[in-house]
Amino acid sequence: IYRPPDAPGEKFRCALNFVQKCIEGELDRSFQVRLVGDLNFPDIDWKTERVLSGQSVQSQCSALDFLEFLDSKFLNQYVDQPTRGINILDLFCTDNPELVQSINVSPIEQLSDHSLVSDLIAIPVTELDRIRNDRTKDYDGFASLNFSKADYPGI
């Protein structure tokens, strides 16, 4: 998800409502939720999960809406190092704390004013089995291609 720094509060609430409908309507309880993106909330102190002063009232209200959303979906945010300047703007949230193995933040000045956030996650075997079973049913699609027979030197 991306939230521009000057996003109107109502538009951001609509985006959160869309994400909520996806979580509640499309997924059964066996799914784990991962929410990642650039949310541009320099006014959230992630150590205390409190909204700080200093930003516009609109931004502070959106930050409160986001914290309430995370709380209502039992989502925790795991990026704990600044991703732009002194702020944590790029987030990785999930409802499964066992999923996150590590989070790494690395500067990439040549490409962006944000740092690169990379995460190592552990996907449970049951979820991998479900993915594998779904892929084997895709007879005419990408998953059915046999890449082991490709002529890689020729390609």
Side-chain angles (χ1 to χ4, degrees):
I1 188 169
Y2 173 69
R3 179 193 161 271
D6 57 352
E10 185 57 35
K11 294 282 187 185
F12 183 63
R13 278 190 291 284
C14 287
L16 288 179
N17 287 336
F18 174 78
V19 173
Q20 180 171 332
K21 286 179 185 175
C22 290
I23 292 170
E24 292 174 352
E26 300 296 326
L27 305 178
D28 63 35
R29 294 192 184 272
S30 68
F31 281 84
Q32 298 171 38
V33 177
R34 292 164 213 125
L35 177 69
V36 298
D38 177 0
L39 279 292
N40 285 300
F41 284 128
D43 43 355
I44 295 179
D45 178 349
W46 287 105
K47 288 186 173 85
T48 62
E49 295 185 358
R50 302 243 188 268
V51 177
L52 307 172
S53 61
Q55 300 296 317
S56 70
V57 171
Q58 178 173 272
S59 180
Q60 290 177 357
C61 288
S62 290
L64 283 171
D65 288 342
F66 187 64
L67 289 174
E68 288 173 10
F69 174 82
L70 293 179
D71 190 48
S72 72
K73 301 295 165 222
F74 304 104
L75 296 167
N76 292 308
Q77 196 286 118
Y78 289 91
V79 178
D80 62 358
Q81 299 171 39
T83 61
R84 183 172 190 259
I86 61 169
N87 301 306
I88 298 173
L89 304 180
D90 305 282
L91 310 176
F92 181 93
C93 308
T94 183
D95 60 351
N96 180 359
E98 294 177 6
L99 180 73
V100 180
Q101 301 300 301
S102 68
I103 300 279
N104 187 37
V105 178
S106 309
I108 51 169
E109 289 91 13
Q110 316 86 301
L111 302 175
S112 175
D113 58 348
H114 287 245
S115 293
L116 174 69
V117 177
S118 55
D119 52 75
L120 178 63
I121 60 173
I123 299 175
V125 173
T126 54
E127 190 171 341
L128 288 174
D129 286 341
R130 183 186 51 75
I131 292 168
R132 188 177 304 115
N133 290 338
D134 288 349
R135 288 182 71 191
T136 58
K137 294 175 190 171
D138 181 23
Y139 301 110
D140 297 326
F142 183 80
S144 64
L145 299 175
N146 184 348
F147 292 100
S148 64
K149 296 182 179 182
D151 178 14
Y152 288 104
I155 294 172

